[in-house]
Amino acid sequence: MRTRPTTAAAVAALLAATALGLSPHQAQAAPAAATSRTDTSSQVRFHDIPGSGGITLKGNVFTPAGAEPGRKYPLIVLPTSWGMPQIEYIAQAKQLADSGYVVVSYTSRGFWLSGGQIETAGPADIADVSAVIDWALANAPADPGRIGLGGVSYGAGISLLASAHDPRVKAVVALSGWADLIESIYSGRTQHLQAAGMLGAAGYLTGRPGPELQQILGDFLGSKLENEQAMIEWGKKRSAAQQVDRINANGAAVMLGNAWGDTIFPPNQYAEFFEKLTGPKRLEFRPGDHATAEATGLFGLPNDTWTNAHRWFDRYLKGERNGVDTEAPVQIKSRSTDGYEGYPDWKSVGSGGTEKLPLADSEHVWANVDSGANGGILFLSSVLDQFAKAPPTASIPLLPRAFAAVWQSPRYAQERRIRGTVRLHTTVTPTKGDGTFVAYLYDVGPLGIGKLVSNAPYTFHGKTPGQSFGVDLDLFSTAYDVPEGHRLALVVDTVDPLYIEHNPAGAQLTFSSPRTDPSYVSVPLREQ
């Protein structure tokens, strides 16, 4: 029988091949008895696992080395990310098995060689998790009283939803996932074009989207507002935030991790969900984009996100007193500095109070022209911010004022450490009934070059032309340090490649600050 290497080098080669578009068909199609092991490490077997509804899921199972007959080990189930095959977690699964876990990873239904169609974390996907748990308990030395779920991105979303439906789950680690699908890709009633487009393309390239997903993608990207409510209801059914009461009732210990610049699942929705959890919980935010904070761990390299994930499982599946439950439950890392900050809850992140920047001057902009202020490019921009501290930039003095509204603060005599969610309150008067604008907060240096701190889109429909209305908009949460001598600038324009805009030809927007309802930007700060 041919063995399959499971060293970190082999894992890196397999994942690199996947990233380059080379099919991991051989690993996916491995016969059920295919095994790799050494005398001193855990062993892996590739299996066909029965999913819900009679389909077959391609999976692999790691068991601890020298597993004693009759002994039961805690079980961890890892559904794969969107578009990824079952080899995704091999490095982490092996490490977990080496420390005493049975680990089952499987390719989510509809992708690669797993059966079925892509249901986008629908009921069938949730039932698959329970079916995999049932199979593992019957076919591996797994302890029914110590079961955990985990995953990255799609696997994180499925794990959270499954914890609401299967009370056997005692611990969850959800990395770079979503709790609210609507707030993730339709925040501000605006389609996140690059995010949805990437997910759709990856789904068609690596799997078989079901008819419901095909319909939703077509309606969403086609801006079919007559089907908006149906799309929202579809998203709610796939959002753990809608089932938080069931998650709390089941009592699973939940660890959430995400990046400040996640362009697929922005951090706000995770923070709001975290606050609603009543059981043991932990929230971690770091610099980066979607899945970049934990990416090196998938290659078997040292990674603090995965280190804490292991500690979380050890505490709540093994009962180890490793201190993870006594640390501050909210752990964040600033985009500007190294080191972590701990807080007792999310609302304490901006515990230094808020600074209100008045937007006193009325600004008038023409729509449908990109001013040059942008949120960046999916993945690339936030990765550059993560590794080179180089976020998207714009020359604030050179932004064309006909197409961009600009307000600036005075220069700061001391550093401002922004922590949490920046909020914009303003009054808008449109010349058309529909429209979109995007708000950006910049850190502006002495030469006028602005580094992007945060942004968020806002879309309206059915307004009366010429009639003002108020807007309250939360920008994407962040942690950013504005140096002494710099200033903050709020920029608003109407076009951004990240989003679909709804500005009719010739549309204009006026942003004003009525005396009875002044406009402002509220900036949460860390205590000095």
Side-chain angles (χ1 to χ4, degrees):
M1 180 179 297
R2 180 182 170 187
T3 60
R4 298 179 182 275
T6 58
T7 63
V11 172
L14 284 169
L15 289 173
T18 301
L20 291 171
L22 304 177
S23 171
H25 178 274
Q26 293 175 328
Q28 286 280 45
T35 305
S36 172
R37 67 173 302 166
T38 66
D39 293 334
T40 59
S41 66
S42 55
Q43 67 173 14
V44 60
R45 292 178 179 270
F46 292 89
H47 285 275
D48 288 346
I49 301 175
S52 65
I55 73 160
T56 297
L57 301 169
K58 294 294 181 177
N60 57 67
V61 181
F62 276 89
T63 53
E68 301 173 10
R71 181 179 174 184
K72 299 293 185 181
Y73 299 86
L75 168 67
I76 296 175
V77 175
L78 304 172
T80 58
S81 302
W82 187 271
M84 292 295 289
Q86 57 157 304
I87 59 172
E88 176 185 11
Y89 301 115
I90 278 185
Q92 288 301 319
K94 183 180 185 303
Q95 291 178 18
L96 286 164
D98 285 345
S99 66
Y101 290 94
V102 172
V103 186
V104 180
S105 176
Y106 68 92
T107 304
S108 299
R109 71 164 50 221
F111 289 102
W112 296 95
L113 297 182
S114 280
Q117 297 176 316
I118 302 173
E119 305 288 346
T120 321
D125 292 291
I126 308 313
D128 283 344
V129 175
S130 293
V132 171
I133 291 174
D134 293 340
W135 181 89
L137 294 176
N139 293 276
D143 186 343
R146 295 183 292 169
I147 297 173
L149 302 177
V152 176
S153 186
Y154 192 48
I158 289 175
S159 295
L160 284 176
L161 286 161
S163 72
H165 292 269
D166 197 323
R168 295 175 295 181
V169 176
K170 305 302 181 187
V172 177
V173 171
L175 306 176
S176 292
W178 79 91
D180 189 324
L181 195 56
I182 303 302
E183 281 299 307
S184 294
I185 61 174
Y186 196 50
S187 68
R189 207 180 177 186
T190 307
Q191 299 107 311
H192 294 210
L193 173 61
Q194 291 186 18
M198 187 282 295
L199 291 172
Y204 278 100
L205 285 171
T206 62
R208 301 166 300 283
E212 189 176 24
L213 174 58
Q214 294 181 44
Q215 178 72 41
I216 290 292
L217 275 174
D219 290 347
F220 187 80
L221 295 174
S223 300
K224 295 183 179 179
L225 290 176
E226 65 272 19
N227 297 330
E228 181 183 38
Q229 193 55 44
M231 289 186 278
I232 291 174
E233 291 303 319
W234 179 87
K236 285 182 177 180
K237 292 176 182 177
R238 290 157 172 80
S239 297
Q242 297 291 319
Q243 303 182 40
V244 67
D245 290 343
R246 296 183 65 167
I247 295 173
N248 289 334
N250 288 339
V254 178
M255 173 180 161
L256 306 170
N258 205 353
W260 294 119
D262 194 320
T263 44
I264 307 292
F265 304 127
N268 302 43
Q269 46 93 31
Y270 244 21
E272 292 172 8
F273 175 70
F274 171 82
E275 289 291 86
K276 296 175 183 177
L277 293 171
T278 58
K281 58 184 179 178
R282 182 180 178 94
L283 175 67
E284 299 183 357
F285 282 144
R286 298 175 175 82
D289 205 313
H290 185 66
T292 63
E294 55 270 14
T296 56
L298 295 176
F299 289 82
L301 301 175
N303 180 281
D304 57 353
T305 302
W306 282 105
T307 295
N308 288 338
H310 288 225
R311 294 173 65 216
W312 193 255
F313 284 134
D314 289 346
R315 174 66 187 90
Y316 292 103
L317 297 183
K318 289 183 177 180
E320 293 184 2
R321 298 290 180 177
N322 55 20
V324 71
D325 57 328
T326 62
E327 297 169 357
V330 176
Q331 295 285 326
I332 70 171
K333 185 176 182 181
S334 169
R335 292 162 50 203
S336 307
T337 58
D338 295 324
Y340 290 89
E341 303 166 8
Y343 299 88
D345 49 37
W346 175 248
K347 64 179 178 289
S348 298
V349 171
S351 56
T354 58
E355 179 175 2
K356 279 191 175 182
L357 307 179
L359 310 178
D361 297 331
S362 180
E363 296 282 347
H364 181 87
V365 299
W366 290 82
N368 298 311
V369 175
D370 191 340
S371 70
N374 285 311
I377 301 172
L378 187 80
F379 294 133
L380 176 62
S381 296
S382 292
V383 169
L384 288 173
D385 185 34
Q386 177 182 359
F387 293 107
K389 291 184 171 56
T393 60
S395 175
I396 305 304
L398 297 182
L399 290 175
R401 295 309 198 261
F403 310 116
V406 180
W407 298 266
Q408 296 192 73
S409 74
R411 295 193 184 280
Y412 292 119
Q414 59 181 350
E415 179 185 58
R416 292 291 194 276
R417 291 184 279 186
I418 300 173
R419 299 291 185 273
T421 306
V422 174
R423 293 182 169 89
L424 166 65
H425 174 75
T426 190
T427 296
V428 180
T429 307
T431 60
K432 305 287 186 179
D434 302 327
T436 297
F437 66 84
V438 185
Y440 310 89
L441 188 69
Y442 284 99
D443 159 27
V444 184
L447 298 180
I449 302 299
K451 294 182 177 180
L452 187 65
V453 177
S454 186
N455 77 99
Y458 185 90
T459 294
F460 58 89
H461 296 288
K463 298 295 184 181
T464 302
Q467 184 171 315
S468 301
F469 61 93
V471 170
D472 289 289
L473 177 62
D474 285 356
L475 277 61
F476 300 135
S477 301
T478 194
Y480 184 96
D481 300 341
V482 180
E484 174 186 341
H486 287 213
R487 66 178 74 199
L488 287 172
L490 180 79
V491 176
V492 178
D493 74 359
T494 62
V495 177
D496 190 309
L498 285 172
Y499 312 112
I500 291 177
E501 52 89 11
H502 295 266
N503 295 301
Q508 303 168 50
L509 299 175
T510 298
F511 299 89
S512 58
S513 183
R515 185 171 54 184
T516 56
D517 186 19
S519 295
Y520 60 85
V521 172
S522 176
V523 181
L525 301 174
R526 179 189 173 191
E527 292 181 356
Q528 296 295 325

